[in-house]
Amino acid sequence: MPLLKPEQAYSYADYLTWDESERWEILDGVPYMHAAPSRIHQEVLMELSKQLAVYLTGKSCRVYPAPFCVRLDAEKNDNADVKNIVEPDITIVCDKNKLDEKGCKGSPDMIIEILSPSTGRNDRFIKFNRYEEAGVKVYWLVEPDQKLVSVFTLQANGRYGRPDMYTEEDKIKVSIFPDLEIDLKPVYEDL
């Protein structure tokens, strides 16, 4: 990959030319490279993904753990115009028309980000705003160090309301699936 130029706005067209063995996101045209996740991060990701995948078996919605490319600027048909490309830790997509061979084109129904020191700021601020603008119905911020989960739900006004907060002893009812509860005890038990 050529050296990045700080004054340049990057797009999905650029992203497609980069080394696939590296994990990148582009937020508002600014590229961010991901470090390899920690063991704890991966354990949390696997347990949440497992619970979601078991529930979604036989249903129309699909769960995708990272790496999975989401192009939030779905209305833009030219790859050079797509400036927000993310790889959430866990993505749930219920509209099969949004799926293509590269990932998800448009707003997923639910996104989970597992905070780490290198991604926490982007997850809490930049990505929070992009997900809200894109209309992601449910956004979770998972904090392994604190054993907390903040759940943001898109309101009728198109904004996320105050978060519902959960600890390691709780079960979370997932609003887009009325009969699904995620048990946080196995998520955090060995951390």
Side-chain angles (χ1 to χ4, degrees):
M1 180 184 145
L3 291 175
L4 297 177
K5 300 173 185 159
E7 69 283 355
Q8 180 176 337
Y10 289 85
S11 70
Y12 186 58
D14 298 306
Y15 176 92
L16 291 171
T17 68
W18 298 345
D19 186 343
E20 288 184 20
S21 68
E22 297 174 347
R23 291 189 55 211
W24 287 90
E25 291 184 319
I26 301 175
L27 300 168
D28 299 325
V30 178
Y32 296 89
M33 186 177 197
H34 284 271
S38 70
R39 176 192 60 81
I40 290 172
H41 180 282
Q42 291 302 87
E43 287 183 17
V44 169
L45 175 111
M46 289 303 297
E47 180 58 35
L48 288 170
S49 295
K50 178 177 74 175
Q51 289 187 46
L52 289 162
V54 167
Y55 172 81
L56 291 173
T57 300
K59 296 179 174 62
S60 61
C61 298
R62 298 286 180 259
V63 60
Y64 299 95
F68 181 74
C69 181
V70 175
R71 288 138 14 234
L72 293 173
D73 307 350
E75 71 284 354
K76 299 174 180 169
N77 292 320
D78 184 350
N79 288 341
D81 293 333
V82 177
K83 305 287 186 195
N84 287 290
I85 303 98
V86 293
E87 285 193 1
D89 290 308
I90 300 173
T91 304
I92 295 178
V93 181
C94 296
D95 182 351
K96 291 180 182 175
N97 293 320
K98 292 182 178 181
L99 298 171
D100 62 18
E101 70 284 350
K102 297 289 186 182
C104 179
K105 185 176 182 183
S107 175
D109 294 271
M110 180 173 173
I111 286 178
I112 299 174
E113 295 285 9
I114 301 166
L115 298 181
S116 66
S118 64
T119 66
R121 186 173 175 1
N122 281 352
D123 292 341
R124 286 185 192 278
F125 299 106
I126 301 172
K127 289 165 94 175
F128 175 95
N129 290 324
R130 293 308 144 263
Y131 294 159
E132 185 180 66
E133 288 169 3
V136 175
K137 295 173 190 168
V138 179
Y139 179 39
W140 288 18
L141 283 172
V142 178
E143 300 180 58
D145 293 343
Q146 306 299 319
K147 297 185 178 181
L148 292 173
V149 177
S150 303
V151 175
F152 297 90
T153 304
L154 202 64
Q155 306 298 305
N157 64 2
R159 307 288 311 260
Y160 287 131
R162 291 184 62 160
D164 294 319
M165 305 293 290
Y166 299 90
T167 67
E168 63 190 302
E169 298 297 318
D170 294 324
K171 292 183 179 179
I172 302 175
K173 288 188 178 236
V174 180
S175 63
I176 60 173
F177 305 114
D179 58 340
L180 171 61
E181 280 189 342
I182 298 297
D183 187 354
L184 293 181
K185 198 172 280 189
V187 172
Y188 291 127
E189 71 184 343
D190 292 330
L191 304 185

mmCIF file of all heavy atoms in Angstrom, residues 149-185:
data_model
loop_
_atom_site.group_PDB
_atom_site.id
_atom_site.type_symbol
_atom_site.label_atom_id
_atom_site.label_comp_id
_atom_site.label_asym_id
_atom_site.label_seq_id
_atom_site.Cartn_x
_atom_site.Cartn_y
_atom_site.Cartn_z
ATOM 1 N N VAL A 149 -21.593 -3.263 29.601
ATOM 2 C CA VAL A 149 -22.102 -3.109 28.239
ATOM 3 C C VAL A 149 -23.051 -1.918 28.247
ATOM 4 O O VAL A 149 -23.957 -1.838 29.083
ATOM 5 C CB VAL A 149 -22.854 -4.369 27.741
ATOM 6 C CG1 VAL A 149 -23.434 -4.132 26.351
ATOM 7 C CG2 VAL A 149 -21.943 -5.585 27.732
ATOM 8 N N SER A 150 -22.841 -0.982 27.314
ATOM 9 C CA SER A 150 -23.743 0.150 27.102
ATOM 10 C C SER A 150 -24.533 -0.138 25.835
ATOM 11 O O SER A 150 -23.942 -0.404 24.788
ATOM 12 C CB SER A 150 -22.967 1.450 26.923
ATOM 13 O OG SER A 150 -22.139 1.702 28.032
ATOM 14 N N VAL A 151 -25.857 -0.094 25.934
ATOM 15 C CA VAL A 151 -26.724 -0.393 24.797
ATOM 16 C C VAL A 151 -27.433 0.887 24.376
ATOM 17 O O VAL A 151 -28.179 1.484 25.156
ATOM 18 C CB VAL A 151 -27.755 -1.485 25.140
ATOM 19 C CG1 VAL A 151 -28.718 -1.699 23.979
ATOM 20 C CG2 VAL A 151 -27.038 -2.785 25.505
ATOM 21 N N PHE A 152 -27.190 1.284 23.135
ATOM 22 C CA PHE A 152 -27.832 2.466 22.556
ATOM 23 C C PHE A 152 -28.875 1.991 21.546
ATOM 24 O O PHE A 152 -28.576 1.171 20.677
ATOM 25 C CB PHE A 152 -26.804 3.350 21.841
ATOM 26 C CG PHE A 152 -25.766 3.915 22.766
ATOM 27 C CD1 PHE A 152 -24.595 3.218 23.010
ATOM 28 C CD2 PHE A 152 -25.969 5.127 23.398
ATOM 29 C CE1 PHE A 152 -23.626 3.727 23.867
ATOM 30 C CE2 PHE A 152 -25.011 5.647 24.264
ATOM 31 C CZ PHE A 152 -23.837 4.937 24.501
ATOM 32 N N THR A 153 -30.086 2.530 21.662
ATOM 33 C CA THR A 153 -31.174 2.151 20.767
ATOM 34 C C THR A 153 -31.638 3.387 20.012
ATOM 35 O O THR A 153 -31.873 4.438 20.627
ATOM 36 C CB THR A 153 -32.345 1.542 21.575
ATOM 37 O OG1 THR A 153 -31.838 0.442 22.348
ATOM 38 C CG2 THR A 153 -33.445 1.045 20.657
ATOM 39 N N LEU A 154 -31.771 3.256 18.699
ATOM 40 C CA LEU A 154 -32.206 4.375 17.863
ATOM 41 C C LEU A 154 -33.658 4.709 18.174
ATOM 42 O O LEU A 154 -34.532 3.835 18.177
ATOM 43 C CB LEU A 154 -32.035 4.005 16.386
ATOM 44 C CG LEU A 154 -31.944 5.148 15.398
ATOM 45 C CD1 LEU A 154 -30.697 6.002 15.642
ATOM 46 C CD2 LEU A 154 -31.916 4.606 13.977
ATOM 47 N N GLN A 155 -33.905 5.971 18.454
ATOM 48 C CA GLN A 155 -35.241 6.453 18.799
ATOM 49 C C GLN A 155 -35.967 6.916 17.533
ATOM 50 O O GLN A 155 -35.390 7.029 16.465
ATOM 51 C CB GLN A 155 -35.121 7.616 19.794
ATOM 52 C CG GLN A 155 -34.306 7.286 21.035
ATOM 53 C CD GLN A 155 -34.907 6.178 21.863
ATOM 54 O OE1 GLN A 155 -36.072 6.251 22.258
ATOM 55 N NE2 GLN A 155 -34.127 5.133 22.122
ATOM 56 N N ALA A 156 -37.248 7.247 17.686
ATOM 57 C CA ALA A 156 -38.066 7.692 16.563
ATOM 58 C C ALA A 156 -37.511 8.959 15.915
ATOM 59 O O ALA A 156 -37.713 9.188 14.716
ATOM 60 C CB ALA A 156 -39.512 7.918 17.017
ATOM 61 N N ASN A 157 -36.782 9.778 16.676
ATOM 62 C CA ASN A 157 -36.224 11.020 16.137
ATOM 63 C C ASN A 157 -34.908 10.796 15.385
ATOM 64 O O ASN A 157 -34.258 11.751 14.974
ATOM 65 C CB ASN A 157 -36.027 12.051 17.251
ATOM 66 C CG ASN A 157 -35.002 11.616 18.301
ATOM 67 O OD1 ASN A 157 -34.394 10.559 18.198
ATOM 68 N ND2 ASN A 157 -34.815 12.448 19.313
ATOM 69 N N GLY A 158 -34.490 9.522 15.230
ATOM 70 C CA GLY A 158 -33.257 9.221 14.511
ATOM 71 C C GLY A 158 -31.999 9.379 15.334
ATOM 72 O O GLY A 158 -30.892 9.367 14.791
ATOM 73 N N ARG A 159 -32.136 9.530 16.637
ATOM 74 C CA ARG A 159 -30.991 9.696 17.537
ATOM 75 C C ARG A 159 -30.968 8.552 18.541
ATOM 76 O O ARG A 159 -32.003 7.977 18.860
ATOM 77 C CB ARG A 159 -31.102 11.022 18.314
ATOM 78 C CG ARG A 159 -31.299 12.277 17.483
ATOM 79 C CD ARG A 159 -30.093 12.737 16.694
ATOM 80 N NE ARG A 159 -28.857 12.816 17.417
ATOM 81 C CZ ARG A 159 -28.317 13.930 17.903
ATOM 82 N NH1 ARG A 159 -28.909 15.080 17.747
ATOM 83 N NH2 ARG A 159 -27.159 13.887 18.530
ATOM 84 N N TYR A 160 -29.772 8.260 19.042
ATOM 85 C CA TYR A 160 -29.669 7.275 20.114
ATOM 86 C C TYR A 160 -30.104 7.926 21.421
ATOM 87 O O TYR A 160 -29.724 9.052 21.717
ATOM 88 C CB TYR A 160 -28.239 6.764 20.275
ATOM 89 C CG TYR A 160 -27.803 5.840 19.159
ATOM 90 C CD1 TYR A 160 -26.597 6.034 18.505
ATOM 91 C CD2 TYR A 160 -28.589 4.758 18.769
ATOM 92 C CE1 TYR A 160 -26.187 5.187 17.493
ATOM 93 C CE2 TYR A 160 -28.195 3.904 17.757
ATOM 94 C CZ TYR A 160 -26.993 4.115 17.121
ATOM 95 O OH TYR A 160 -26.591 3.278 16.116
ATOM 96 N N GLY A 161 -30.908 7.196 22.177
ATOM 97 C CA GLY A 161 -31.305 7.667 23.500
ATOM 98 C C GLY A 161 -30.188 7.418 24.500
ATOM 99 O O GLY A 161 -29.095 6.957 24.146
ATOM 100 N N ARG A 162 -30.464 7.708 25.738
ATOM 101 C CA ARG A 162 -29.494 7.416 26.811
ATOM 102 C C ARG A 162 -29.244 5.917 26.812
ATOM 103 O O ARG A 162 -30.158 5.131 26.588
ATOM 104 C CB ARG A 162 -30.047 7.865 28.142
ATOM 105 C CG ARG A 162 -30.126 9.378 28.255
ATOM 106 C CD ARG A 162 -30.575 9.768 29.613
ATOM 107 N NE ARG A 162 -29.553 9.278 30.545
ATOM 108 C CZ ARG A 162 -29.387 9.741 31.758
ATOM 109 N NH1 ARG A 162 -30.178 10.687 32.209
ATOM 110 N NH2 ARG A 162 -28.455 9.269 32.547
ATOM 111 N N PRO A 163 -28.019 5.516 27.105
ATOM 112 C CA PRO A 163 -27.734 4.078 27.067
ATOM 113 C C PRO A 163 -28.330 3.330 28.253
ATOM 114 O O PRO A 163 -28.449 3.877 29.352
ATOM 115 C CB PRO A 163 -26.206 4.026 27.123
ATOM 116 C CG PRO A 163 -25.814 5.262 27.853
ATOM 117 C CD PRO A 163 -26.835 6.303 27.444
ATOM 118 N N ASP A 164 -28.717 2.087 27.999
ATOM 119 C CA ASP A 164 -29.019 1.159 29.071
ATOM 120 C C ASP A 164 -27.691 0.510 29.426
ATOM 121 O O ASP A 164 -26.934 0.102 28.536
ATOM 122 C CB ASP A 164 -30.027 0.103 28.617
ATOM 123 C CG ASP A 164 -31.394 0.702 28.316
ATOM 124 O OD1 ASP A 164 -31.843 1.579 29.083
ATOM 125 O OD2 ASP A 164 -32.005 0.289 27.313
ATOM 126 N N MET A 165 -27.404 0.404 30.721
ATOM 127 C CA MET A 165 -26.117 -0.117 31.177
ATOM 128 C C MET A 165 -26.313 -1.483 31.835
ATOM 129 O O MET A 165 -27.269 -1.672 32.590
ATOM 130 C CB MET A 165 -25.482 0.849 32.188
ATOM 131 C CG MET A 165 -25.328 2.276 31.674
ATOM 132 S SD MET A 165 -24.144 2.441 30.347
ATOM 133 C CE MET A 165 -22.633 2.157 31.227
ATOM 134 N N TYR A 166 -25.371 -2.383 31.528
ATOM 135 C CA TYR A 166 -25.455 -3.743 32.052
ATOM 136 C C TYR A 166 -24.097 -4.165 32.591
ATOM 137 O O TYR A 166 -23.060 -3.771 32.061
ATOM 138 C CB TYR A 166 -25.885 -4.714 30.955
ATOM 139 C CG TYR A 166 -27.245 -4.385 30.385
ATOM 140 C CD1 TYR A 166 -27.370 -3.523 29.300
ATOM 141 C CD2 TYR A 166 -28.398 -4.921 30.950
ATOM 142 C CE1 TYR A 166 -28.616 -3.211 28.779
ATOM 143 C CE2 TYR A 166 -29.651 -4.609 30.436
ATOM 144 C CZ TYR A 166 -29.752 -3.760 29.348
ATOM 145 O OH TYR A 166 -30.992 -3.442 28.849
ATOM 146 N N THR A 167 -24.132 -5.002 33.643
ATOM 147 C CA THR A 167 -22.903 -5.535 34.239
ATOM 148 C C THR A 167 -22.844 -7.039 34.006
ATOM 149 O O THR A 167 -23.766 -7.641 33.446
ATOM 150 C CB THR A 167 -22.852 -5.259 35.755
ATOM 151 O OG1 THR A 167 -23.884 -6.010 36.387
ATOM 152 C CG2 THR A 167 -23.009 -3.781 36.055
ATOM 153 N N GLU A 168 -21.788 -7.644 34.487
ATOM 154 C CA GLU A 168 -21.527 -9.059 34.246
ATOM 155 C C GLU A 168 -22.600 -9.997 34.797
ATOM 156 O O GLU A 168 -22.691 -11.141 34.383
ATOM 157 C CB GLU A 168 -20.166 -9.435 34.821
ATOM 158 C CG GLU A 168 -20.089 -9.262 36.329
ATOM 159 C CD GLU A 168 -18.685 -9.414 36.856
ATOM 160 O OE1 GLU A 168 -18.073 -10.470 36.638
ATOM 161 O OE2 GLU A 168 -18.201 -8.454 37.472
ATOM 162 N N GLU A 169 -23.438 -9.542 35.692
ATOM 163 C CA GLU A 169 -24.485 -10.388 36.272
ATOM 164 C C GLU A 169 -25.802 -10.299 35.496
ATOM 165 O O GLU A 169 -26.755 -11.008 35.822
ATOM 166 C CB GLU A 169 -24.734 -9.980 37.729
ATOM 167 C CG GLU A 169 -23.525 -10.155 38.626
ATOM 168 C CD GLU A 169 -23.080 -11.602 38.747
ATOM 169 O OE1 GLU A 169 -23.954 -12.486 38.876
ATOM 170 O OE2 GLU A 169 -21.860 -11.847 38.692
ATOM 171 N N ASP A 170 -25.871 -9.442 34.494
ATOM 172 C CA ASP A 170 -27.134 -9.161 33.812
ATOM 173 C C ASP A 170 -27.348 -10.010 32.565
ATOM 174 O O ASP A 170 -26.411 -10.574 31.997
ATOM 175 C CB ASP A 170 -27.191 -7.678 33.405
ATOM 176 C CG ASP A 170 -27.240 -6.743 34.601
ATOM 177 O OD1 ASP A 170 -27.887 -7.100 35.606
ATOM 178 O OD2 ASP A 170 -26.627 -5.664 34.521
ATOM 179 N N LYS A 171 -28.619 -10.005 32.152
ATOM 180 C CA LYS A 171 -29.014 -10.533 30.852
ATOM 181 C C LYS A 171 -29.595 -9.346 30.085
ATOM 182 O O LYS A 171 -30.347 -8.550 30.654
ATOM 183 C CB LYS A 171 -30.058 -11.635 30.986
ATOM 184 C CG LYS A 171 -29.490 -12.889 31.623
ATOM 185 C CD LYS A 171 -30.525 -13.976 31.679
ATOM 186 C CE LYS A 171 -29.903 -15.216 32.304
ATOM 187 N NZ LYS A 171 -30.875 -16.303 32.402
ATOM 188 N N ILE A 172 -29.230 -9.238 28.805
ATOM 189 C CA ILE A 172 -29.685 -8.105 27.993
ATOM 190 C C ILE A 172 -30.751 -8.584 27.018
ATOM 191 O O ILE A 172 -30.506 -9.491 26.214
ATOM 192 C CB ILE A 172 -28.516 -7.485 27.195
ATOM 193 C CG1 ILE A 172 -27.400 -7.024 28.135
ATOM 194 C CG2 ILE A 172 -29.025 -6.329 26.324
ATOM 195 C CD1 ILE A 172 -26.163 -6.511 27.402
ATOM 196 N N LYS A 173 -31.929 -7.968 27.097
ATOM 197 C CA LYS A 173 -32.962 -8.219 26.092
ATOM 198 C C LYS A 173 -32.609 -7.395 24.859
ATOM 199 O O LYS A 173 -32.420 -6.185 24.958
ATOM 200 C CB LYS A 173 -34.340 -7.823 26.615
ATOM 201 C CG LYS A 173 -34.864 -8.775 27.656
ATOM 202 C CD LYS A 173 -36.299 -8.448 28.001
ATOM 203 C CE LYS A 173 -36.788 -9.458 28.998
ATOM 204 N NZ LYS A 173 -37.961 -10.156 28.579
ATOM 205 N N VAL A 174 -32.505 -8.049 23.728
ATOM 206 C CA VAL A 174 -32.134 -7.378 22.487
ATOM 207 C C VAL A 174 -33.413 -6.857 21.837
ATOM 208 O O VAL A 174 -34.269 -7.641 21.419
ATOM 209 C CB VAL A 174 -31.368 -8.336 21.550
ATOM 210 C CG1 VAL A 174 -30.978 -7.630 20.260
ATOM 211 C CG2 VAL A 174 -30.133 -8.894 22.261
ATOM 212 N N SER A 175 -33.543 -5.542 21.746
ATOM 213 C CA SER A 175 -34.809 -4.916 21.344
ATOM 214 C C SER A 175 -35.284 -5.319 19.950
ATOM 215 O O SER A 175 -36.485 -5.383 19.716
ATOM 216 C CB SER A 175 -34.700 -3.395 21.443
ATOM 217 O OG SER A 175 -33.720 -2.913 20.544
ATOM 218 N N ILE A 176 -34.381 -5.610 19.034
ATOM 219 C CA ILE A 176 -34.827 -5.973 17.680
ATOM 220 C C ILE A 176 -35.248 -7.441 17.582
ATOM 221 O O ILE A 176 -35.795 -7.856 16.566
ATOM 222 C CB ILE A 176 -33.765 -5.633 16.607
ATOM 223 C CG1 ILE A 176 -32.454 -6.372 16.855
ATOM 224 C CG2 ILE A 176 -33.570 -4.128 16.507
ATOM 225 C CD1 ILE A 176 -31.432 -6.208 15.732
ATOM 226 N N PHE A 177 -35.001 -8.216 18.645
ATOM 227 C CA PHE A 177 -35.429 -9.613 18.730
ATOM 228 C C PHE A 177 -36.108 -9.806 20.092
ATOM 229 O O PHE A 177 -35.435 -10.076 21.079
ATOM 230 C CB PHE A 177 -34.237 -10.564 18.605
ATOM 231 C CG PHE A 177 -33.415 -10.355 17.371
ATOM 232 C CD1 PHE A 177 -32.095 -9.907 17.468
ATOM 233 C CD2 PHE A 177 -33.934 -10.584 16.112
ATOM 234 C CE1 PHE A 177 -31.324 -9.710 16.340
ATOM 235 C CE2 PHE A 177 -33.171 -10.388 14.980
ATOM 236 C CZ PHE A 177 -31.865 -9.944 15.081
ATOM 237 N N PRO A 178 -37.422 -9.663 20.170
ATOM 238 C CA PRO A 178 -38.099 -9.619 21.461
ATOM 239 C C PRO A 178 -37.898 -10.845 22.353
ATOM 240 O O PRO A 178 -38.035 -10.750 23.566
ATOM 241 C CB PRO A 178 -39.578 -9.456 21.101
ATOM 242 C CG PRO A 178 -39.670 -9.395 19.631
ATOM 243 C CD PRO A 178 -38.319 -9.518 19.047
ATOM 244 N N ASP A 179 -37.573 -11.984 21.779
ATOM 245 C CA ASP A 179 -37.406 -13.187 22.597
ATOM 246 C C ASP A 179 -35.938 -13.581 22.785
ATOM 247 O O ASP A 179 -35.642 -14.698 23.201
ATOM 248 C CB ASP A 179 -38.197 -14.355 22.003
ATOM 249 C CG ASP A 179 -37.803 -14.684 20.574
ATOM 250 O OD1 ASP A 179 -37.208 -13.819 19.893
ATOM 251 O OD2 ASP A 179 -38.075 -15.814 20.123
ATOM 252 N N LEU A 180 -35.013 -12.656 22.543
ATOM 253 C CA LEU A 180 -33.589 -12.948 22.725
ATOM 254 C C LEU A 180 -33.041 -12.210 23.941
ATOM 255 O O LEU A 180 -33.225 -11.003 24.081
ATOM 256 C CB LEU A 180 -32.787 -12.524 21.483
ATOM 257 C CG LEU A 180 -31.251 -12.582 21.617
ATOM 258 C CD1 LEU A 180 -30.761 -13.996 21.918
ATOM 259 C CD2 LEU A 180 -30.591 -12.039 20.354
ATOM 260 N N GLU A 181 -32.364 -12.969 24.795
ATOM 261 C CA GLU A 181 -31.624 -12.402 25.916
ATOM 262 C C GLU A 181 -30.184 -12.885 25.813
ATOM 263 O O GLU A 181 -29.937 -14.080 25.626
ATOM 264 C CB GLU A 181 -32.187 -12.884 27.255
ATOM 265 C CG GLU A 181 -33.413 -12.169 27.716
ATOM 266 C CD GLU A 181 -33.776 -12.548 29.147
ATOM 267 O OE1 GLU A 181 -33.308 -13.585 29.656
ATOM 268 O OE2 GLU A 181 -34.543 -11.790 29.743
ATOM 269 N N ILE A 182 -29.254 -11.952 25.927
ATOM 270 C CA ILE A 182 -27.836 -12.300 25.945
ATOM 271 C C ILE A 182 -27.392 -12.334 27.406
ATOM 272 O O ILE A 182 -27.543 -11.346 28.126
ATOM 273 C CB ILE A 182 -26.995 -11.270 25.149
ATOM 274 C CG1 ILE A 182 -27.416 -11.256 23.680
ATOM 275 C CG2 ILE A 182 -25.505 -11.567 25.311
ATOM 276 C CD1 ILE A 182 -27.188 -12.552 22.923
ATOM 277 N N ASP A 183 -26.851 -13.462 27.821
ATOM 278 C CA ASP A 183 -26.398 -13.661 29.191
ATOM 279 C C ASP A 183 -24.942 -13.196 29.285
ATOM 280 O O ASP A 183 -24.057 -13.763 28.622
ATOM 281 C CB ASP A 183 -26.519 -15.132 29.561
ATOM 282 C CG ASP A 183 -26.229 -15.404 31.023
ATOM 283 O OD1 ASP A 183 -25.822 -14.468 31.760
ATOM 284 O OD2 ASP A 183 -26.410 -16.571 31.436
ATOM 285 N N LEU A 184 -24.691 -12.167 30.081
ATOM 286 C CA LEU A 184 -23.331 -11.628 30.191
ATOM 287 C C LEU A 184 -22.434 -12.446 31.118
ATOM 288 O O LEU A 184 -21.208 -12.301 31.054
ATOM 289 C CB LEU A 184 -23.384 -10.172 30.665
ATOM 290 C CG LEU A 184 -23.990 -9.189 29.682
ATOM 291 C CD1 LEU A 184 -23.969 -7.779 30.258
ATOM 292 C CD2 LEU A 184 -23.294 -9.225 28.332
ATOM 293 N N LYS A 185 -23.000 -13.294 31.933
ATOM 294 C CA LYS A 185 -22.178 -14.079 32.856
ATOM 295 C C LYS A 185 -21.119 -14.900 32.098
ATOM 296 O O LYS A 185 -19.928 -14.809 32.412
ATOM 297 C CB LYS A 185 -23.039 -14.963 33.733
ATOM 298 C CG LYS A 185 -22.307 -15.461 34.970
ATOM 299 C CD LYS A 185 -23.250 -16.168 35.917
ATOM 300 C CE LYS A 185 -23.989 -15.104 36.709
ATOM 301 N NZ LYS A 185 -24.785 -15.634 37.793
#
